[in-house]
Each structure stands twice: as C-alpha cells, then as structure tokens.
Amino acid sequence: MTQPVVAVSADIREFDNYVWHCAPETYLAAAMDVAGVLPLAVPAMGARVDAAALMERMDGLLVTGSRTNVHPAHYGVEASERHEPFDLARDETSIALIRAALAFGVPVLAICRGLQELNVALGGTLETEIQEKEGIDDHRAPQSERNDERFAIRHPARVREGSCLAAIVGTGEIQVNSLHRQAIGDLAPGLSVEAQAPDGTVEAVSVTEAKAFALGVQWHPEYWAKTDETSAAIFRAFGAAARQRASARQSTAESAINRPAGATAS
C-alpha cells in the first residue's frame, strides 16, 4: 500500500517581504515518524481551496495548533483585543477542511487551535482568557526561551471511561502539556467530551457520529510524540485510521480499473 497522504492546516506568516503559508515542523515530524503518513500543508487560501475535492483525495486531516485564535465572528461574539491575534485566512480554510473531512469520512486529528476550530466548525463557542475565571487554572505556557520548558508535560487530564480516547491511551488520569488561554465554551452539537482537566476545562473531544477517527485534543502531543507514550499512541491511532482509508481508496481505484468496459459499480 502507498504511504497515506494527510492534509495539514497552514498558518499565514509575513517576513522577508513575503506572505508565507507554513506549518510547524513538530507536527510534520510527528505525522511522518510516528503516524507514518506523508503530511502536505494546504495553503490558507480560503474559498480558493476546493475543500471537498481535496478531502475526497486525502487519507487524513491534521489541524495544527497556532499562536493565533479563531476570530469570534465565527461563533457569534464581538471581537476584542483580548481575542487577538487572528489569522482570518486560516480560519476560513481550516473550518472548511474540517467540515469536508467529516462529510467524506476522512480521519481527523485536531490539536490545540485545531480542537477549537473543530468545536466552532460544528456550532460551538470559545471562551478567552480562561485563567481569569474563578476556579480555572492557568493553562498558559510558562515564560521561557526554551521550548522544552514551554511544552513540558505538567498537568493531569482525566479520560472518560468508554471514550474514543480511552481506547487509545486507557481510562483514568494522563499527564498532558496544555499551552492555551482560550478553551471550549459551549460544546458543539455532535461533539462528546473525552477528557477534562481537574478544573473542568475540556481537554479532548470526539465527533460522536463520525464516519472515521475524529479526535481533538487541547494539549500538544506532537511535541513529545517520539518520547511520551500517551502522545505517541494518539499519533499511531491517527496513522492507523489514515492507512485504513488509504487502503479502502486503493481498493476502490483498483476495482474501477479492473471493471469490464461498460460495467457499472454495484
């Protein structure tokens, strides 16, 4: 079987007098080396990307984290400086890719901002500056120049028994690395909570009626995917789902090639 091909969301960045469409290497390396798939970054060009046509050809969708936030207009809230920074082109592109992937039964792994996009794409809302709310812990990264310190695994999350995530990492408490100041507010219809932090913050969700693997996590399994078993297990499960779709697509293509002239599919 050929290597599964997975679409990856891209961010807009501006430097050297150019506009760049890019994705962090940590996600790409985890996809290639742990999930065993070929990641291809999709340019954040909004409606110019035919999301449905693309997803029909893909074996998976990896929606990455980012320093930017989903624009509040997508979930019916007036924007303020507290919601910034934004990446409107990424919003438009990623939300369309998520909806198309779910429609076509393409496996989805959504991480951090990706989980928030998944919730918004299906009709949910987000809360900003959650660390200022009574009873909510500070989920932001510590101030450090070293990414190993910023992305350190440092707080627990409890996995719901019988959930999709439990089948991957087991039921009970796991240790995760959340780096966020926004979180799910109203859970979207069609999503199920898979794990929560001790303060109640939603740390993982799944798509209840998904045709394939569809998991979102608020933490960053990509950063430690090669050394942390929980992180690795999530990417391996995503890779297995992508291989299953690739195999099915290959079988369909071979059947079409071998079908006698004039015959129709049953």
Side-chain angles (χ1 to χ4, degrees), residues 203-242:
E203 288 287 341
V205 298
S206 65
V207 181
T208 310
E209 300 296 331
K211 302 172 185 176
F213 179 99
L215 178 70
V217 297
Q218 185 61 76
W219 68 90
H220 287 269
E222 81 287 346
Y223 195 85
W224 301 106
K226 295 181 182 180
T227 57
D228 173 62
E229 178 54 30
T230 296
S231 301
I234 291 170
F235 271 89
R236 287 197 300 264
F238 177 56

Side-chain angles (χ1 to χ4, degrees), residues 122-144:
L122 297 183
T125 68
L126 303 176
E127 295 283 348
T128 195
E129 305 298 353
I130 60 170
Q131 71 279 353
E132 298 177 2
K133 298 182 181 298
E134 184 176 357
I136 300 299
D137 297 330
D138 192 341
H139 292 252
R140 295 174 299 177
Q143 295 295 320
S144 175

Side-chain angles (χ1 to χ4, degrees), residues 188-204:
L191 287 185
S192 176
V193 174
E194 299 271 309
Q196 291 177 277
D199 62 5
T201 300
V202 175
E203 288 287 341

Side-chain angles (χ1 to χ4, degrees), residues 9 33 46 53 83 92-93 113 143 151 156 171 181 188 206 244 246 265:
S9 57
D33 300 335
H83 296 98
E92 185 180 6
T93 309
R113 188 197 209 271
Q143 295 295 320
F151 284 86
T171 301
R181 59 187 179 87
S206 65
Q244 184 177 6

